[in-house]
Amino acid sequence: MSSKDPHTDSLDALKLKMSAQRDSDKFFMSISGREKKPVDVFRALYDGCIAGGVAGVVVETALYPIDTIKTRLQVARGGGQIILKGLYSGLAGNLAGVLPASAIFVGVYEPTKQKLLRSFPENLSAVAHFAAGAIAGAASSLVRVPTEVVKQRMQMGQFKSAPAAVRLIVANEGFKGLYAGYGSFLLRDLPFDAIQFCIYEQLRIGYKLAAKRDLNDPENAMLGAFAGAITGAVTTPLDVVKTRLMVQGSQNHYKGIYDCVSTIVKEEGTHALFKGMGPRVLWIGIGGSIFFGVLEKTKQILAQRHPKAELHN
């Protein structure tokens, strides 16, 4: 029987302890995004574009009918009836805009978030997430606004196809018609994007700290649903104003954001600013579940395709 050097045993124990400490440090750094490695902007942009595009298309296809009902509820004035036919009107044209818009959003959000997390103190990570969401929302709005204008007018039955909608909007209202309600869109979507992603990211950090492990797919989806539902409810009045301004076309019933709000309150009451809240919360809650679930899964799959890059980082 051979005897083992006690000194060797102590060295092995020390190595094991150091390895465990490194694993622990890596986990907690991954929670807050504080790993001291350079941000690969191009890779974050590339992966973000793919993950965002996939997640956006899946959500839009699955939940388009709920969005259509929400739009028709918001536009109906004075107890007008809601038509439940053609709930997928404009889906194909909308997907053509959602794909690049979602890709741009996440493609900008991911590297911006990583850069800001390294610039801000750790106790201000929420500010970094909030700012990254707003910046990404502004970048993607150049595609999202025309997409939203065409989609909502098709949902209201004003046009039969997306190409026809674009052609007639430009002919009747000029190119600026594709950006109708742009100010109200930013007023709604910049806070929406910033709040939703901030809530989601902060919930993930807290959940990881409590569970002391990475989240699984159902947990990511659950947190996404919660963040989406809360944000959807809070921003409903902004969404009503945005919808009214976008679908009015050349009628100019409302002269701007302030006039739209005051006219709605005067003619229909304050409660009209919360029209469509039920479908909106349902749509964005389920949509947040699908979007963030698909987003995290796609990011995970893409990360597995870059094992060498991970090792070098």
Side-chain angles (χ1 to χ4, degrees):
M1 185 173 79
S2 63
S3 60
K4 195 172 182 180
D5 187 352
H7 182 63
T8 303
D9 288 339
S10 63
L11 283 175
D12 289 342
L14 180 61
K15 288 179 181 179
L16 184 61
K17 182 177 180 181
M18 291 175 65
S19 176
Q21 182 63 42
R22 282 197 302 269
D23 290 342
S24 175
D25 290 344
K26 184 178 180 181
F27 169 74
F28 285 104
M29 284 190 295
S30 72
I31 290 177
S32 61
R34 299 278 164 183
E35 290 178 273
K36 297 298 182 181
K37 60 182 181 181
V39 177
D40 189 337
V41 175
F42 291 108
R43 180 180 153 192
L45 176 65
Y46 173 78
D47 287 359
C49 284
I50 294 177
V54 171
V57 168
V58 171
V59 170
E60 200 68 23
T61 303
L63 303 178
Y64 196 79
I66 301 176
D67 183 36
T68 300
I69 293 172
K70 182 269 303 181
T71 298
R72 292 176 181 176
L73 280 170
Q74 291 179 341
V75 173
R77 301 175 62 192
Q81 278 194 321
I82 307 301
I83 300 173
L84 297 179
K85 291 182 180 179
L87 296 182
Y88 274 97
S89 295
L91 175 61
N94 189 52
L95 290 181
V98 166
L99 178 58
S102 299
I104 291 171
F105 181 92
V106 181
V108 171
Y109 175 78
E110 286 295 331
T112 302
K113 176 187 75 174
Q114 293 176 28
K115 285 284 188 181
L116 291 176
L117 283 173
R118 284 159 177 76
S119 303
F120 282 68
E122 189 164 356
N123 62 344
L124 294 180
S125 64
V127 178
H129 293 136
F130 188 91
I135 292 169
S140 64
S141 68
L142 295 176
V143 177
R144 289 165 74 182
V145 173
T147 301
E148 190 85 352
V149 169
V150 171
K151 177 193 75 173
Q152 293 194 329
R153 295 198 188 181
M154 290 190 68
Q155 287 174 331
M156 294 305 301
Q158 294 182 14
F159 305 104
K160 296 296 183 183
S161 68
V166 173
R167 185 174 64 254
L168 290 171
I169 289 172
V170 173
N172 295 330
E173 305 167 45
F175 185 75
K176 66 179 182 180
L178 292 173
Y179 285 88
Y182 186 70
S184 62
F185 180 91
L186 293 181
L187 182 66
R188 180 203 71 171
D189 270 51
L190 293 192
F192 178 89
D193 293 331
I195 293 170
Q196 183 183 32
F197 273 76
C198 180
I199 291 175
Y200 173 71
E201 297 279 15
Q202 292 300 303
L203 285 174
R204 290 189 81 233
I205 290 174
Y207 199 107
K208 280 185 176 183
L209 285 170
K212 295 183 179 179
R213 59 173 174 79
D214 287 324
L215 279 63
N216 56 38
D217 295 339
E219 289 167 338
N220 284 321
M222 177 189 67
L223 296 183
F226 186 75
I230 291 177
T231 312
V234 170
T235 58
T236 295
L238 300 177
D239 188 50
V240 171
V241 173
K242 183 269 310 175
T243 300
R244 293 286 184 98
L245 290 173
M246 280 188 167
V247 302
Q248 69 177 341
S250 57
Q251 296 176 4
N252 290 325
H253 185 74
Y254 309 108
K255 295 179 176 62
I257 296 173
Y258 177 78
D259 181 61
C260 182
V261 173
S262 59
T263 301
I264 291 174
V265 172
K266 181 181 177 180
E267 295 182 354
E268 304 170 58
T270 306
H271 67 277
L273 291 173
F274 292 88
K275 279 186 172 182
M277 177 183 279
R280 177 172 167 78
V281 170
L282 177 65
W283 167 53
I284 297 178
I286 298 174
S289 171
I290 298 172
F291 181 87
F292 286 109
V294 173
L295 180 69
E296 297 298 340
K297 189 64 178 178
T298 307
K299 285 164 60 178
Q300 180 185 348
I301 292 171
L302 290 171
Q304 291 171 352
R305 294 179 59 185
H306 307 291
K308 291 182 180 179
E310 291 291 336
L311 288 174
H312 289 309
N313 286 334

